[in-house]
């Protein structure tokens, strides 16, 4: 897992940490990465020392907790015990200690304005300050103003004028069960890679990259929504629709209250970004790996990374120089090698870079599964140029008669004699034929989320059981 910003959507519970550019970082000890911190926060360990109790903290009490092993910090009226986080803080312990036992809001805003500390430090929450530093707001009133595009200037921290035909805006709609937040970027060429959505509990946040700025929607939702959501982009007009599912089918009077930097456009240079993005390691080469199963030098990990030129971070990754650092976590995943036991038919459905998990599966299946009779890879891409490792795949299929490869293009630009279109019932029933009625089968599927979801539905319609399907999700 690379510690780099997403080219697609981080999962709803993901951490997206953005910090001001050029901020210095200290080397973290082994086992103290962001992923390790996330793991610790999910372990159920009592990180506050209060066994889950939330308390009201007076200023006097706060001041007492000013040591490394007993360090409380107040951010925007909420008090966190940051001692457990000390060793995980990329800026180092000393940086955190600057706010020990005090209100660190100002310092935090200077350094970490964008960090989603509410979710990051959720398990460290001690409680509220007894006297709240923040002024209470009439949220309903504010919401109306936001929706009317009249949020008072004082509450908006963006430096750009909120006017002119090209300034982004948003609106919301609802049905009985859904809430749609529509972002009008007013820019062509906006794609899924240009947006990060994160929502946790009632806090909803969407960052859209618009040229050299980030447009931020940041709202405390008025009602609860489910964890999963979907996002659509109408590229031709630059409209993004984020569809949230209501927990209860009631009508909402208002969307929610604005949170920090809501409805603002922030220059990107202010915001270095640090986001966890999963990548599946591949082999150095499909063919050599197949010929020589033992890696000549096991100190390399190979990733196949598609650079989205209008994307949030992959262009940055593209600019990395030899000697630059990228944090990599230990591996994660839920694919069990036992699925291959006694396997006879293996079907691989890959779309775009969703091919990456198939690389090692292909290598392993063709070399280590004696029972295997047939492997079929159906590889969906937009154009011929998008087909990753085409010639290696063709050579591999030529060498090993158990392997069939079918390329399917959804938007061929030149003359193309092969299959065209998207994943469909007709295509799957044509290709996914079991060797024998009762042969042991596994279908692996990976690609853009709508592709994978649709594929799994179609496979179930074709009577593949849940055990016979493995879908890879980022
Ligand atoms: P792409 O946009 O180039 O699309 C490739 C093909 O996917 C298209 O030709 C089409 O056949 C199909 N497709 C795309 N959108 C579809 C839709 N809405 N409905 C049905 N089919 C659709 O793909 P890309 O840019 O290479 O993106 C690959 C995706 O795979 C990314 O979202 C990436 O996150 C995901 N991925 C996941 C993993 C994993 O979970 N382990 C690994 C690698 C890639």
């Amino acid at each position: 897992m690379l510690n780099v910003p997403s080219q697609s959507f981080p999962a709803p519970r993901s951490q997206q940490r953005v910090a001001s550019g050029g901020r210095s970082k200290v080397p973290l000890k082994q086992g103290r990465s962001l992923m390790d911190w996330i793991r610790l926060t999910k372990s159920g360990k009592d990180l506050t020392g209060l066994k889950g109790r939330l308390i009201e903290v007076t200023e006097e009490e706060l001041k007492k907790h000013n040591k490394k092993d007993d360090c409380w910090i107040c951010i925007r009226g909420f008090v966190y015990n940051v001692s457990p986080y000390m060793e995980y803080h990329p800026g180092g312990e000393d940086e955190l200690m600057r706010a020990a036992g005090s209100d660190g809001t100002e310092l935090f805003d200077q350094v970490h304005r964008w960090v989603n500390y509410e979710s990051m430090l959720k398990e460290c929450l001690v409680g509220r300050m007894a006297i709240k530093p923040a002024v209470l707001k009439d949220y309903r009133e504010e919401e109306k103003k936001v929706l009317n595009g009249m949020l008072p200037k004082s509450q908006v921290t963006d430096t750009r004028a909120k006017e002119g035909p090209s300034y982004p805006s948003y609106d919301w709609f609802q049905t009985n069960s859904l809430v749609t937040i529509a972002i009008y970027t007013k820019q062509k060429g906006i794609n899924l890679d240009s947006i990060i959505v994160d929502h946790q509990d009632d806090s909803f946040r969407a960052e859209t990259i618009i040229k050299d700025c980030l447009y931020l929607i940041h709202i405390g939702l008025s009602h609860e929504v489910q964890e999963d959501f979907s996002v659509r982009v109408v590229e031709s007009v630059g409209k993004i629709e984020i569809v949230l599912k209501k927990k209860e089918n009631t009508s909402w009077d208002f969307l929610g209250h604005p949170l920090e930097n809501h409805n603002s456009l922030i220059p990107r240079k202010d915001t270095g970004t640090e986001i966890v993005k999963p990548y599946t390691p591949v082999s150095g080469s499909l063919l050599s790996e197949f010929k020589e199963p033992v890696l000549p030098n096991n100190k390399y990990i190979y990733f196949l990374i598609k650079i989205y030129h209008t994307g949030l971070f992959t262009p940055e990754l593209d600019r990395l120089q030899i000697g630059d650092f990228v944090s990599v976590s230990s591996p994660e995943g839920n694919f069990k090698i036992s699925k291959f036991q006694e396997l006879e038919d293996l079907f691989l459905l890959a779309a775009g870079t969703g091919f990456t998990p198939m690389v090692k599966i292909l290598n392993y299946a063709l070399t280590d599964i004696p029972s295997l009779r047939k492997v079929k890879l159906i590889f969906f891409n937009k154009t011929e140029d998008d087909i990753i490792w085409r010639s290696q795949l063709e050579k591999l299929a030529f060498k090993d008669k158990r392997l069939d490869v079918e390329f399917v293009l959804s938007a061929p630009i030149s003359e193309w004699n092969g299959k065209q279109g998207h994943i469909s019932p007709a295509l799957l029933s044509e290709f996914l034929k079991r060797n024998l009625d009762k042969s042991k089968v596994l279908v692996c599927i990976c690609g853009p989320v709508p592709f994978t979801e649709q594929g799994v539905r179609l496979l179930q319609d074709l009577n593949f059981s849940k055990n016979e399907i493995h879908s890879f999700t980022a």
Side-chain angles (χ1 to χ4, degrees), residues 174-415:
Q174 60 179 321
T175 63
N176 209 22
S177 56
L178 304 174
V179 167
T180 301
I181 299 173
I183 299 173
Y184 305 100
T185 66
K186 298 175 189 156
Q187 300 291 325
K188 286 191 182 159
I190 293 286
N191 56 31
L192 281 180
D193 190 33
S194 312
I195 173 157
I196 297 175
V197 177
D198 192 12
H199 80 86
Q200 194 157 30
D201 303 328
D202 67 345
S203 155
F204 171 88
R205 184 184 174 101
E207 294 169 22
T208 310
I209 187 168
I210 299 175
K211 292 188 179 155
D212 56 348
C213 288
L214 285 172
Y215 178 61
L216 180 70
I217 299 293
H218 195 191
I219 296 167
L221 295 172
S222 66
H223 292 66
E224 285 188 296
V225 290
Q226 296 175 30
E227 228 177 68
D228 60 322
F229 57 88
S230 60
V231 184
R232 289 194 290 261
V233 177
V234 187
E235 285 188 28
S236 54
V237 289
K239 178 170 134 187
I240 295 164
E241 285 183 345
I242 304 157
V243 185
L244 305 170
K245 294 180 188 157
K246 292 180 180 175
K247 266 204 178 149
E248 283 173 18
N249 291 352
T250 50
S251 171
W252 295 15
D253 290 344
F254 65 112
L255 181 60
H257 55 267
L259 296 175
E260 195 191 8
N261 287 335
H262 170 65
N263 197 18
S264 62
L265 200 56
I266 295 165
R268 274 166 79 195
K269 58 179 162 34
D270 284 0
T271 64
T273 307
E274 197 171 81
I275 297 175
V276 174
K277 165 71 188 161
Y279 281 100
T280 314
V282 296
S283 319
S285 148
L286 206 50
L287 285 169
S288 65
E289 174 89 348
F290 182 51
K291 271 194 289 190
E292 309 160 46
V294 181
L295 271 177
N297 187 338
N298 63 8
K299 65 181 179 185
Y300 294 103
I301 322 176
Y302 295 92
F303 293 104
L304 216 156
I305 297 173
K306 179 169 172 179
I307 305 297
Y308 293 83
H309 290 291
T310 55
L312 191 65
F313 191 72
T314 50
E316 297 293 329
L317 203 56
D318 197 25
R319 277 193 282 275
L320 284 178
Q321 299 292 315
I322 291 173
D324 289 347
F325 282 90
V326 176
S327 315
V328 180
S329 80
S330 49
E332 293 200 343
N334 60 1
F335 185 83
K336 294 210 171 59
I337 211 106
S338 57
K339 287 192 177 266
F340 287 128
Q341 251 168 27
E342 313 292 324
L343 190 69
E344 293 168 281
D345 293 334
L346 175 63
F347 298 117
L348 306 175
L349 306 178
T353 57
F355 172 63
T356 51
M358 309 306 174
V359 172
K360 288 200 168 178
I361 288 182
L362 264 177
N363 287 149
Y364 183 79
L366 291 172
T367 47
D368 287 299
I369 313 294
S371 54
L372 196 74
R373 274 200 282 255
K374 200 79 215 159
V375 184
K376 275 197 182 176
L377 167 70
I378 310 182
F379 194 1
F380 297 82
N381 282 282
K382 287 181 178 147
T383 70
E384 264 183 280
D385 288 347
D386 295 322
I387 305 175
I388 302 161
W389 287 0
R390 176 178 180 178
S391 77
Q392 290 198 44
L393 279 167
E394 285 169 343
K395 280 184 195 147
L396 194 58
F398 182 75
K399 264 170 174 297
D400 193 316
K401 295 297 166 217
R402 293 170 300 170
L403 173 65
D404 279 343
V405 181
E406 187 72 36
F407 300 115
V408 182
L409 298 186
S410 58
I413 31 185
S414 48
E415 206 171 292

Side-chain angles (χ1 to χ4, degrees), residues 58-74:
T58 60
E59 295 225 354
E60 294 70 46
E61 183 65 31
L62 179 64
K63 275 184 203 152
K64 286 184 206 160
H65 301 269
N66 61 358
K67 294 163 218 73
K68 267 189 191 164
D69 58 353
D70 177 21
C71 180
W72 291 9
I73 292 178
C74 168

Side-chain angles (χ1 to χ4, degrees), residues 13-272:
R13 301 225 163 243
S14 69
Q15 293 296 333
Q16 296 158 19
R17 307 187 306 142
V18 187
S20 58
R23 185 163 55 89
S24 62
K25 293 193 173 187
V26 299
L28 297 173
K29 285 188 203 155
Q30 227 182 356
R32 295 291 181 273
S33 69
L34 173 61
M35 286 311 295
D36 295 312
W37 172 250
I38 292 170
R39 235 171 264 132
L40 178 64
T41 59
K42 289 186 175 165
S43 67
K45 203 173 163 194
D46 175 15
L47 296 182
T48 58
L50 294 171
K51 301 195 171 71
R53 211 161 36 95
L54 293 178
I55 57 171
E56 285 226 321
V57 184
T58 60
E59 295 225 354
E60 294 70 46
E61 183 65 31
L62 179 64
K63 275 184 203 152
K64 286 184 206 160
H65 301 269
N66 61 358
K67 294 163 218 73
K68 267 189 191 164
D69 58 353
D70 177 21
C71 180
W72 291 9
I73 292 178
C74 168
I75 306 174
R76 271 180 266 291
F78 289 95
V79 179
Y80 299 89
N81 178 352
V82 296
S83 292
Y85 181 61
M86 286 280 169
E87 293 190 342
Y88 297 82
H89 184 229
E93 299 183 2
D94 293 344
E95 190 69 21
L96 266 184
M97 284 307 291
R98 287 171 65 196
S102 66
D103 187 336
T105 311
E106 205 170 307
L107 191 63
F108 176 87
D109 281 349
Q110 281 166 17
V111 187
H112 292 299
R113 186 158 52 99
W114 275 66
V115 171
N116 188 352
Y117 66 93
E118 293 102 323
S119 75
M120 186 95 154
L121 296 177
K122 202 173 156 205
E123 299 304 321
C124 300
L125 184 66
V126 168
R128 273 176 186 271
M129 283 302 286
I131 305 158
K132 283 183 223 129
V135 180
L136 274 177
K137 295 166 184 168
D138 180 348
Y139 293 137
R140 281 173 171 249
E141 206 37 47
E142 267 180 12
E143 177 57 20
K144 280 186 209 138
K145 288 177 194 156
V146 171
L147 292 180
N148 292 336
M150 296 190 298
L151 193 69
K153 252 303 181 234
S154 59
Q155 288 171 28
V156 186
T157 53
D158 63 307
T159 50
R160 313 268 159 138
K162 278 194 159 187
E163 49 205 32
S166 62
Y167 196 91
S169 63
Y170 80 102
D171 203 348
W172 71 287
F173 317 93
Q174 60 179 321
T175 63
N176 209 22
S177 56
L178 304 174
V179 167
T180 301
I181 299 173
I183 299 173
Y184 305 100
T185 66
K186 298 175 189 156
Q187 300 291 325
K188 286 191 182 159
I190 293 286
N191 56 31
L192 281 180
D193 190 33
S194 312
I195 173 157
I196 297 175
V197 177
D198 192 12
H199 80 86
Q200 194 157 30
D201 303 328
D202 67 345
S203 155
F204 171 88
R205 184 184 174 101
E207 294 169 22
T208 310
I209 187 168
I210 299 175
K211 292 188 179 155
D212 56 348
C213 288
L214 285 172
Y215 178 61
L216 180 70
I217 299 293
H218 195 191
I219 296 167
L221 295 172
S222 66
H223 292 66
E224 285 188 296
V225 290
Q226 296 175 30
E227 228 177 68
D228 60 322
F229 57 88
S230 60
V231 184
R232 289 194 290 261
V233 177
V234 187
E235 285 188 28
S236 54
V237 289
K239 178 170 134 187
I240 295 164
E241 285 183 345
I242 304 157
V243 185
L244 305 170
K245 294 180 188 157
K246 292 180 180 175
K247 266 204 178 149
E248 283 173 18
N249 291 352
T250 50
S251 171
W252 295 15
D253 290 344
F254 65 112
L255 181 60
H257 55 267
L259 296 175
E260 195 191 8
N261 287 335
H262 170 65
N263 197 18
S264 62
L265 200 56
I266 295 165
R268 274 166 79 195
K269 58 179 162 34
D270 284 0
T271 64

